[in-house]
Amino acid sequence: TSGKMLRPSLIALVTKILTEGKENYEESMQIAYNSAVAVELLHNMTLIHDDLIDGAPIRRGKPAYHINHGMELTVHDGDILHAYGLTIIKHIPSLLLFIRVSYEVGIGNAIELEDRLNNNFDFDLEHVIDIMRRKTAIVFAGCVQLGYLAAGLGNHFTKKLEEAIIDAGIAFQIQDDYLDFQGDPEKFGKQHLWDVQESKRNLFLYFALQNSEKSDKLKEIYKKPIGKKNEDDIRFVLQLFNEIAPKIVQVRDKYLKRAIENLEQLQETTEDENELNLLDFLQMLIEYLAHREK
């Protein structure tokens, strides 16, 4: 089923804005479309593998892939999606970037899985941010960079721009975790509170563990197998999470603010009309994504 198509759309839109009115527009857009397809295949591979590992029942408002097709086909089809994505990208710089981004996503998933399997509760805030940076934020930064590469402007993708998009990606993921807790399941498209059922190490858990009086009980709940938390467990966790929700919003807004400030600084240093249009677009997109409801 179709998702938001955010990542591939980002590649195509970045390329389109940067090459609008230029001679290389058509050629650049074809490179962008190939990169966009490859990234969407990678994204869907990670989703169907993650849902299988986590036992998630719902994705995009419908039964998850492994529910409909079983474990064997889910593993196989996910591998094929990734391999096929590699065959689509013909532009060497884009291919190398795609491989690097794939590696970072894999490392992020591995860290998150090891935390759960090892019942790791001894983690700091930076550990949580690092997982979000690898699994989500680097992908967004990679998509913007792929757009620049397709446009033939790879050297214009600066460190400051990368930092801005990574901060925006972290804000995006924090909002995603927030929606799992407080969002409308009909709009969000995932099972409500599944991050609790799968014992996800996110900002909610990090801040909740700071409550020394209730941390032992919280740890016992999170040690339970996926999907085995009962109503009393969920009620206990919800009470804690409600208390710390404002802290989550504060962290999200910190990264959002930093991302926008970096984009505004970049606007002051460029006179290229296409790049200025792109920076305006990215700022509007970032603000929307950090406050979205689905």
Side-chain angles (χ1 to χ4, degrees):
T1 59
S2 177
K4 293 185 287 293
M5 298 287 182
L6 174 61
R7 293 155 185 83
S9 297
L10 184 57
I11 298 171
L13 286 169
V14 168
T15 306
K16 179 177 178 11
I17 294 170
L18 288 174
T19 58
E20 195 76 59
K22 297 185 178 180
E23 291 183 1
N24 65 332
Y25 177 81
E26 294 295 336
E27 179 184 355
S28 294
M29 290 307 300
Q30 188 56 59
I31 295 172
Y33 292 146
N34 287 343
S35 298
V37 171
V39 166
E40 184 64 8
L41 290 173
L42 168 66
H43 179 56
N44 279 277
M45 177 275 287
T46 62
L47 294 183
I48 67 174
H49 277 182
D50 282 355
D51 287 347
L52 174 64
I53 292 170
D54 300 335
I58 297 173
R59 171 67 62 179
R60 295 168 179 166
K62 297 181 180 181
Y65 198 89
H66 65 95
I67 300 295
N68 281 334
H69 302 286
M71 179 185 71
E72 292 85 356
L73 274 177
T74 297
V75 173
H76 174 270
D77 292 352
D79 290 345
I80 290 296
L81 286 178
H82 191 200
Y84 182 48
L86 289 169
T87 71
I88 292 174
I89 299 184
K90 310 296 183 184
H91 196 231
I92 295 301
S94 300
L95 177 60
L96 295 176
L97 175 59
F98 179 84
I99 292 171
R100 181 174 70 82
V101 169
S102 299
Y103 171 76
E104 291 291 347
V105 172
I107 293 296
N109 280 322
I111 294 170
E112 189 171 68
L113 180 59
E114 287 177 358
D115 280 344
R116 175 164 61 80
L117 294 177
N118 296 330
N119 285 317
N120 177 27
F121 295 101
D122 185 22
F123 58 89
D124 57 18
L125 179 61
E126 186 54 41
H127 181 80
V128 181
I129 297 296
D130 184 56
I131 292 174
M132 291 190 284
R133 182 178 65 84
R134 292 177 184 273
K135 287 189 62 178
T136 303
I138 284 178
V139 179
F140 283 121
C143 288
V144 175
Q145 188 174 3
L146 283 168
Y148 269 84
L149 288 171
L153 297 170
N155 61 328
H156 287 223
F157 185 79
T158 63
K159 186 66 177 177
K160 183 176 286 292
L161 179 56
E162 181 180 37
E163 290 173 354
I165 304 304
I166 285 178
D167 284 342
I170 291 171
F172 171 92
Q173 185 57 56
I174 293 173
Q175 180 68 3
D176 204 66
D177 294 343
Y178 187 86
L179 290 173
D180 178 82
F181 164 55
Q182 287 198 337
D184 182 344
E186 292 298 319
K187 293 181 179 180
F188 193 39
K190 301 178 188 177
Q191 174 129 343
H192 190 45
L193 297 172
W194 192 254
D195 284 354
V196 177
Q197 284 292 356
E198 68 173 86
S199 304
K200 185 176 181 179
R201 267 62 181 172
N202 56 19
L203 288 181
F204 279 103
L205 180 60
Y206 167 74
F207 283 116
L209 287 171
Q210 310 308 306
N211 186 329
S212 58
E213 295 180 358
K214 299 180 179 180
S215 61
D216 287 342
K217 182 174 180 180
L218 182 61
K219 290 176 184 178
E220 288 304 314
I221 291 172
Y222 267 66
K223 286 178 182 178
K224 292 185 177 183
I226 290 177
K228 298 301 182 181
K229 281 82 169 176
N230 58 40
E231 290 184 7
D232 288 339
D233 295 333
I234 297 298
R235 192 177 300 111
F236 177 83
V237 173
L238 279 178
Q239 182 181 354
L240 281 179
F241 282 9
N242 271 314
E243 294 171 1
I244 61 173
K247 294 182 179 180
I248 308 300
V249 173
Q250 287 177 359
V251 178
R252 180 201 68 192
D253 289 348
K254 181 187 80 170
Y255 281 94
L256 173 62
K257 181 175 182 289
R258 200 159 71 181
I260 292 175
E261 286 175 348
N262 271 333
L263 290 177
E264 289 174 343
Q265 289 174 19
L266 286 167
Q267 288 174 318
E268 296 172 358
T269 60
T270 183
E271 296 180 357
D272 184 88
E273 184 177 350
N274 291 56
E275 280 201 90
L276 285 171
N277 289 338
L278 175 61
L279 293 171
D280 283 339
F281 163 74
L282 289 174
Q283 184 171 334
M284 289 187 293
L285 178 65
I286 287 168
E287 290 177 333
Y288 165 74
L289 292 176
H291 298 105
R292 73 195 191 284
E293 295 182 356
K294 61 180 181 178

